[in-house]
Amino acid sequence: MNSEIVQFDLEDPCNRRVASEIIDLLFFYRTGEGRLRDIVTKMRFVIETYCTYSYPGFFDSDDTLLSIIEKIRNTGEQHPACALLDELDYIHNYSWDHCRDDAPDRDVADPIDVKELTGYVRRTLKIVNAIPNLP
């Protein structure tokens, strides 16, 4: 997987939000503390923003994780984010029912497992290069 360092202008409100969400994900990863559904939503937002900033011209600012995955899949191996496809797919499939207010089984879905969520947060942080040497 290729890594790229993306600089954010922290004067931009969207970038401040990304930085704040990454801090929340790092805090959750280290402590297991946080509102679990909010952590899932933050994972998706951070990945979506990372993709739109890292691959301008390939994704639009309003792309969702699902539309990002579809664009990569439709383009195939020629897409510069192709190496991320499996990880993005896993994170999307895991988070789909937990973060949507209109998810069909949200009220009866199994509770979010902290250990499993921590693993997905780790994967998210690795994708966005928030901490390079995660175990």
Side-chain angles (χ1 to χ4, degrees):
M1 176 168 36
N2 292 334
S3 294
E4 178 180 332
I5 295 177
V6 177
Q7 289 188 314
F8 288 113
D9 172 10
L10 291 179
E11 296 301 316
D12 180 333
C14 179
N15 294 341
R16 281 196 307 264
R17 178 178 171 201
V18 171
S20 175
E21 306 291 33
I22 289 172
I23 290 168
D24 290 347
L25 292 176
L26 287 166
F27 182 77
F28 175 80
Y29 178 73
R30 297 290 186 209
T31 67
E33 294 180 25
R35 295 182 55 178
L36 303 184
R37 291 200 193 283
D38 290 346
I39 296 298
V40 173
T41 301
K42 291 171 191 237
M43 285 178 3
R44 291 178 68 96
F45 175 76
V46 166
I47 289 174
E48 291 163 354
T49 305
Y50 171 80
C51 287
T52 58
Y53 274 86
S54 297
Y55 305 98
F58 291 94
F59 305 118
D60 300 317
S61 62
D62 61 343
D63 274 332
T64 65
L65 184 52
L66 179 59
S67 65
I68 288 168
I69 289 167
E70 288 172 348
K71 286 180 178 183
I72 296 170
R73 189 169 281 125
N74 290 338
T75 303
E77 292 181 9
Q78 299 83 3
H79 198 289
C82 185
L84 298 176
L85 183 58
D86 288 343
E87 281 297 291
L88 296 178
D89 226 0
Y90 290 133
I91 291 168
H92 169 71
N93 289 333
Y94 169 78
S95 63
W96 182 247
D97 285 336
H98 295 301
C99 72
R100 292 181 40 238
D101 289 331
D102 62 342
D105 297 326
R106 182 168 182 184
D107 292 333
V108 295
D110 292 331
I112 298 174
D113 178 86
V114 173
K115 186 174 181 178
E116 184 179 30
L117 177 56
T118 301
Y120 281 97
V121 167
R122 179 187 58 78
R123 293 166 102 159
T124 299
L125 293 170
K126 285 182 87 171
I127 288 171
V128 303
N129 300 310
I131 35 183
N133 296 320
L134 283 175

